[in-house]
Amino acid sequence: MSDPGPTASPDPASDTPAHATTPAAASAPADAADTAATAPREAGGARPPRSAATRAAILAAARDRFAAEGYERATIRAIAKEAGIDPSMVMRYYGNKAGLFAAASEIEVHAPDLTHVPHDELGARLVRHFLERWESDETMTGMMRVGVTNDAGAQRMRKVFAEQIEPVLSAVCPVPEEAELRSGLIASQVLGMALCRYVLHIPPAVALSHDEVVAWLAPTIQRYLMADLP
């Protein structure tokens, strides 16, 4: 997703504004975790993907800080400390805090094409898809945490819903003018289960197998999508 994220503001815990790139960031040599470009090649001719590991550490730390402190209070310095690197490396990769937030909150739900799915299987197909996505991409869990703790994260989650999920559901909704309402009801169930299972770790929700989650949740999703309005 290409949403630029919130407007950058000076990093309150850094000597340099969050929108600026420090001289150190522009000229400092890569640190020990960022030597992919200069490291000796291994026997097979490939360099170790240390740059990717550094980026992953930065993004994981950023999601933690944004979730815990919100966008405004989270700082480049605190994020770098949690990732175990110099703040200049964060600036080198992402430019400023707004760029970092945009990268940390980028989500692709890869919603399935439902137009060829039998109507009586739509609920089960959706539930199983989202279970697989939550458990294969920790970004989604991280953004769930951010989305329930600050406005910037909530705004990003709403954008994901509007651009990636609602159009897929609208394509199979039997009454087009009801698609927005029905999509919102479905989101309440899918996100509610995700919150309980992957963020709050409520034991009964965590203990359910995929098949059990589908068996419990799919009939409700099916009703929200296809049944007559009450």
Side-chain angles (χ1 to χ4, degrees):
M1 294 175 58
S2 58
D3 184 283
T7 301
S9 57
D11 187 339
S14 173
D15 295 331
T16 305
H19 65 273
T21 301
T22 66
S27 60
D31 65 1
D34 184 48
T35 56
T38 58
R41 291 181 181 273
E42 297 176 343
R47 294 189 179 101
R50 295 176 183 173
S51 177
T54 301
R55 289 177 181 271
I58 293 171
L59 293 179
R63 293 181 193 112
D64 286 345
R65 291 298 89 210
F66 288 133
E69 300 176 354
Y71 177 79
E72 293 299 332
R73 292 179 59 195
T75 67
I76 294 292
R77 181 172 294 175
I79 290 167
K81 181 178 180 180
E82 185 167 327
I85 62 171
D86 189 271
S88 66
M89 297 306 299
V90 181
M91 305 294 279
R92 173 179 295 185
Y93 283 127
Y94 300 106
N96 54 33
K97 189 161 70 172
L100 176 59
F101 182 83
S105 60
E106 185 173 352
I107 299 175
E108 290 292 340
V109 299
H110 300 296
D113 179 2
L114 300 176
T115 56
H116 302 296
V117 176
H119 282 187
D120 60 351
E121 298 177 12
L122 290 171
R125 180 72 180 88
L126 280 170
V127 175
R128 198 171 293 280
H129 173 80
F130 281 106
L131 279 172
E132 293 169 355
R133 290 295 296 129
W134 286 110
E135 295 185 6
S136 66
D137 186 354
E138 64 182 18
T139 302
M140 295 184 67
T141 301
M143 278 311 300
M144 168 70 77
R145 294 170 54 212
V146 175
V148 299
T149 56
N150 70 84
D151 289 340
Q155 181 179 356
R156 178 54 64 93
M157 293 292 286
R158 289 193 294 268
K159 186 175 178 65
V160 169
F161 173 78
E163 294 183 353
Q164 298 187 43
I165 299 175
E166 189 173 339
V168 171
L169 300 180
S170 297
V172 294
C173 181
V175 185
E177 57 268 28
E178 297 173 358
E180 184 175 2
L181 169 62
R182 292 174 181 271
S183 298
L185 291 170
I186 290 170
S188 73
Q189 297 297 308
V190 172
L191 295 180
M193 175 56 75
L195 180 66
C196 292
R197 186 175 172 94
Y198 303 118
V199 177
L200 301 179
H201 301 292
I202 294 176
V206 174
L208 292 170
S209 69
H210 279 204
D211 288 343
E212 289 172 326
V213 174
V214 172
W216 279 105
L217 212 56
T220 299
I221 301 300
Q222 185 76 24
R223 180 170 68 87
Y224 283 163
L225 185 59
M226 303 301 294
D228 292 338
L229 292 182

